[in-house]
Amino acid sequence: MRLVRAAYGVTAGVTLAAAVLTGVVAPAHAAIGYRLYVSTHPNRSGAVALNGDRVHGLVYVFAKPGYGALRVRFYIDDVHHRKAPVHVETTPPYDLMGGSPKHPGAFHTATLANGKHTISIVVEQPNKQRSTYTATFTIANPVKPPPAPTHVKATAGKGLVTVTWHSGGGRTAGFFVYRGSSSHVSLHHPVSSRLSRSARSFVDYSVTSGKRYYYVVQAVASTQGRAASKGVRSGTVKAAAKLSLASVTAVGGSGAVRLTWAAKGAASIRVYRATSSVTLHSHLVKTLSGAATHFSDTTVSNGTTYHYLVQALAGTKHVESASVEAVPVAAPTSVTATGGPTGVTLGWSLASTAGETGIAVYRSTTTPVALTGPLATLAAGVTTYTDASAAVGTTYYYVVSAQSAAGHAEGGSGAATPVAAPVVGTAGGDGTVTLHWTAGGTGVTGYEVFSGATSSAATITSGSPLASLPASTGTYVDSGLTDGVARYYLVRALSAGGQADSTVHGVTPVAAPTVTPSVDTHGQVHLTWTSSNEPPVTSYLVFRGINAPPTSTSSTSAYAKVAAGTTTWADPGTGVTQDDGTTYYYVVQAYYSGAHANSAAVQATPLPSPPSKIVNFEASAGGNAGEIDLIWDSADDLTAQIAIYRSTTSGQLGTLVTTLTDPTLVVYSDTGLASGTTYYYTVRAINPGGHTDSDQASATAP
């Protein structure tokens, strides 16, 4: 046995063995008998009979003699010719992979698994005779197989089979799924395209109801090594449910549109949106599972009319709804309800009136308030309303809603009892408590503030008042308090004819956290803080500013919320994929329903560590003139992009060939090179923290 190596590449080759005739010889009356030959050179020189040989790398397979045939059909691993040929040649020379007479296509043996394979030809001759021939050969590529997939399951559904598996990790670069009608599943024609290394499932829609199937999942390594799982059998495929879609609605809210529908037989749901019904398929907003019945679109602007289309899909079938419209509007905020001798006065704020057609006020003596039969309907832009029908001594609950042509947005709720008592609000801080109420009620001559250590109104008001204030004052700040210790307050409205007490409000001041920032090797910012007030702290709010401290520490502007008891947090918005050079400022707020306290602002400028060097970088002559193929091991997870440099001088970086923005790529073909010239390549792994270069690899362009 002798080894013939290709002069143009280091991996291609053919190992020659004694030829064994296994093909079907042409009929005796055929004018010409054809055989299959293989060469390691594009010019077909040094060709030997393919039958019985061992091959690897890139080779050139062709039929001889190279004349006399009307057409030659080539089949791989299909000796009975039951499938379509992989190639048909009608002009000589008759090459397996086609190409031009001087530049035949190379056969990449790595596209097949190592082991025995067949190539068959069917030759049609001018005398209308047909001859066939089959060559058996062995592929022996050097490979490093990945771990085989495990826990493979095939679950039959209605018109589909779902295949799931676990990855063995390691060198796995992707997966193929194969299907058969028996336990002996052929690994030549996958039912899936190549799936990504992160794939863990595949849905096979090309099945027939009433049948069972067998499935094998094959892992593919970056070295072209392959490892297949054990075959598993599915259950019987059920008849696919009839695909239908109905009851599609769209209702605008505050900064959102909520869509609902009823779908049957769907594998997935797509939601499209546009500002014109003519371009409804121009913007795919979301793809959901077939079981989904609703979706909230939060990427809309208040006051804009949106058109939506919902599409249900199952395999190659789909149905879609007619266009539905919605107009999101800004919800009323800061809703207040103040009881007085003549009823309840409501007030609210409107961030925007765009798209608003009116305001609806709802009232109930129980909560939650039913949004049917509004108490009052007001003009757009109105921000106050007085409920003169409210009875003294009865507590009322209110909701204010902004209305639009196709939607509505509920604001906050308010509650009030029409009595001449102050409605007190409280807010705790670091060693302080702030009380506020609506001052200057009808007949009010002044206010008294009471404080105590218990929640009993009788106990609190039994002593002297903490402060006496004029009727025009509606706030009071109690300072010098101990953080973590609750205090209780009551505000009394004084008048010539009597008094009215507010309810008792308990507030616990909280201490401000002490925050320490840090940055990990991935460029992600981590915060650590200390706090001495748990309880009553119920959560921590994190506020972030970019290149400046945060401008607001209102709970509605919090960047993140962390549960009480947790004193560390990592910013998901920073890390290796983010821009470098940005300084982030943070404030951590200790928070509970009655109080909050802010830390001092801290800052961090994240920058990840440079990525690791890419290894096992190789260059080899490509299958076409002027082409060099590059391959390397996967970059580490710190790599954001890969740059390829080329030089004609060893040891020099040379010029930039291309930048790959997908760091998971492991191959690249450099074309348009000068034949016979040796090129030197370097692969650079890059992230915002820096870069590292691979060892240099070289190859001579064919």
Side-chain angles (χ1 to χ4, degrees):
M1 188 176 292
R2 54 198 177 93
L3 177 68
V4 178
R5 295 192 181 276
Y8 65 94
V10 297
T11 61
V14 179
T15 302
L16 306 182
V20 178
L21 183 62
T22 62
V24 179
V25 183
H29 56 271
I32 304 174
Y34 290 84
R35 299 291 184 270
L36 288 166
Y37 291 82
V38 60
S39 170
T40 59
H41 297 274
N43 62 7
R44 307 176 188 81
S45 62
V48 297
L50 175 64
N51 199 49
D53 288 338
R54 293 170 61 87
V55 298
H56 63 275
L58 304 181
V59 295
Y60 300 85
V61 178
F62 55 96
K64 289 180 64 177
Y67 61 86
L70 289 177
R71 62 181 57 84
V72 179
R73 293 184 172 89
F74 291 86
Y75 299 84
I76 296 178
D77 292 335
D78 186 12
V79 296
H80 299 295
H81 315 138
R82 293 172 177 170
K83 300 177 182 177
V86 297
H87 184 64
V88 178
E89 284 278 62
T90 57
T91 58
Y94 310 122
D95 293 297
L96 168 66
M97 302 307 293
S100 66
K102 293 185 178 180
H103 300 286
F107 174 40
H108 294 251
T109 61
T111 60
L112 299 178
N114 281 353
K116 288 189 176 182
H117 295 272
T118 62
I119 296 180
S120 301
I121 56 173
V122 176
V123 182
E124 296 180 18
Q125 300 178 30
N127 60 3
K128 298 184 180 180
Q129 298 301 315
R130 174 179 296 182
S131 61
T132 63
Y133 177 76
T134 298
T136 300
F137 60 97
T138 301
I139 292 179
N141 284 307
V143 297
K144 296 179 180 179
T150 61
H151 299 83
V152 179
K153 294 182 179 180
T155 305
K158 294 181 178 180
L160 56 85
V161 174
T162 301
V163 183
T164 61
W165 62 89
H166 291 182
S167 172
R171 293 178 295 275
T172 301
F175 299 93
F176 286 103
V177 178
Y178 297 85
R179 184 187 73 201
S181 57
S182 69
S183 59
H184 300 289
V185 179
S186 171
L187 300 184
H188 298 312
H189 302 286
V191 293
S192 72
S193 58
R194 177 164 170 165
L195 305 175
S196 70
R197 62 184 300 179
S198 62
R200 296 296 180 269
S201 65
F202 170 75
V203 180
D204 184 7
Y205 291 102
S206 60
V207 292
T208 302
S209 61
K211 290 188 176 182
R212 292 183 176 182
Y213 296 90
Y214 293 81
Y215 289 87
V216 168
V217 180
Q218 183 186 67
V220 182
S222 58
T223 61
Q224 295 302 315
R226 301 189 179 199
S229 71
K230 294 181 179 179
V232 297
R233 190 177 73 170
S234 73
T236 302
V237 179
K238 303 175 181 63
K242 184 178 180 180
L243 185 62
S244 64
L245 179 68
S247 305
V248 179
T249 62
V251 178
S254 180
V257 172
R258 180 177 174 82
L259 292 102
T260 60
W261 58 85
K264 293 183 179 180
S268 61
I269 299 290
R270 291 177 179 173
V271 177
Y272 294 88
R273 184 192 73 204
T275 54
S276 169
S277 59
V278 178
T279 59
L280 254 179
H281 292 88
S282 63
H283 183 197
L284 176 62
V285 179
K286 191 71 173 180
T287 299
L288 306 163
S289 73
T293 59
H294 61 274
F295 169 68
S296 291
D297 182 8
T298 58
T299 62
V300 295
S301 299
N302 288 334
T304 301
T305 300
Y306 292 94
H307 302 262
Y308 289 88
L309 180 146
V310 179
Q311 188 179 77
L313 303 96
T316 59
K317 299 178 180 179
H318 74 274
V319 294
E320 59 188 34
S321 70
S323 171
V324 291
E325 296 181 10
V327 183
V329 289
T333 59
S334 304
V335 177
T336 61
T338 305
T342 59
V344 176
T345 299
L346 301 173
W348 56 89
S349 299
L350 293 172
S352 171
T353 58
E356 181 187 307
T357 58
I359 297 290
V361 179
Y362 300 87
R363 184 187 76 180
S364 176
T365 55
T366 60
T367 185
V369 178
L371 302 184
T372 57
L375 173 68
T377 301
L378 311 174
V382 173
T383 57
T384 61
Y385 174 71
T386 298
D387 179 12
S389 64
V392 173
T394 301
T395 300
Y396 294 93
Y397 300 89
Y398 298 87
V399 168
V400 182
S401 174
Q403 307 292 301
S404 74
H408 60 271
E410 292 76 39
S413 60
T417 304
V419 293
V423 179
V424 178
T426 60
D430 191 358
T432 65
V433 170
T434 300
L435 307 178
H436 57 88
W437 60 90
T438 302
T442 302
V444 174
T445 59
Y447 297 94
E448 291 179 341
V449 179
F450 294 85
S451 177
T454 71
S455 60
S456 169
T459 302
I460 292 174
T461 57
S462 63
S464 300
L466 179 65
S468 297
L469 306 170
S472 59
T473 300
T475 61
Y476 178 77
V477 178
D478 191 9
S479 58
L481 303 176
T482 302
D483 288 329
V485 178
R487 296 294 297 176
Y488 298 88
Y489 297 88
L490 180 148
V491 178
R492 173 173 292 168
L494 304 175
S495 70
Q499 63 188 37
D501 293 345
S502 72
T503 56
V504 176
H505 295 268
V507 185
T508 304
V510 293
T514 301
V515 182
T516 302
S518 63
V519 179
D520 65 17
T521 59
H522 287 73
Q524 187 174 38
V525 177
H526 295 256
L527 302 182
T528 302
W529 60 85
T530 60
S531 177
S532 60
N533 291 109
E534 293 182 341
V537 173
T538 57
S539 63
Y540 294 96
L541 302 181
V542 180
F543 301 85
R544 188 181 80 169
I546 298 178
N547 293 323
T551 57
S552 172
T553 56
S554 166
S555 60
T556 58
S557 62
Y559 179 68
K561 183 177 181 180
V562 181
T566 302
T567 57
T568 61
W569 175 79
D571 188 349
T574 60
V576 68
T577 61
Q578 304 302 312
D579 295 335
D580 61 312
T582 300
T583 299
Y584 296 90
Y585 290 78
Y586 300 90
V587 170
V588 178
Q589 181 184 93
Y591 177 85
Y592 81 104
S593 60
H596 67 269
N598 296 335
S599 71
V602 297
Q603 66 185 70
T605 303
L607 200 65
S609 298
S612 300
K613 181 173 88 171
I614 291 177
V615 298
N616 295 327
F617 175 44
E618 298 177 1
S620 61
N624 300 308
E627 176 181 315
I628 291 179
D629 296 331
L630 308 178
I631 187 170
W632 57 89
D633 281 0
S634 298
D636 65 12
D637 61 358
L638 291 178
T639 301
Q641 58 185 11
I642 295 174
I644 299 175
Y645 291 85
R646 180 182 66 214
S647 174
T648 56
T649 303
S650 176
Q652 291 186 1
L653 183 64
T655 59
L656 177 65
V657 176
T658 188
T659 298
L660 306 176
T661 57
D662 182 358
T664 65
L665 296 177
V666 296
V667 295
Y668 179 77
S669 293
D670 192 11
T671 59
L673 304 174
S675 296
T677 300
T678 299
Y679 294 91
Y680 300 84
Y681 293 87
T682 302
V683 176
R684 172 171 288 178
I686 305 170
N687 73 12
H691 66 266
T692 55
D693 291 339
S694 70
D695 295 333
Q696 203 168 56
S698 65
T700 301

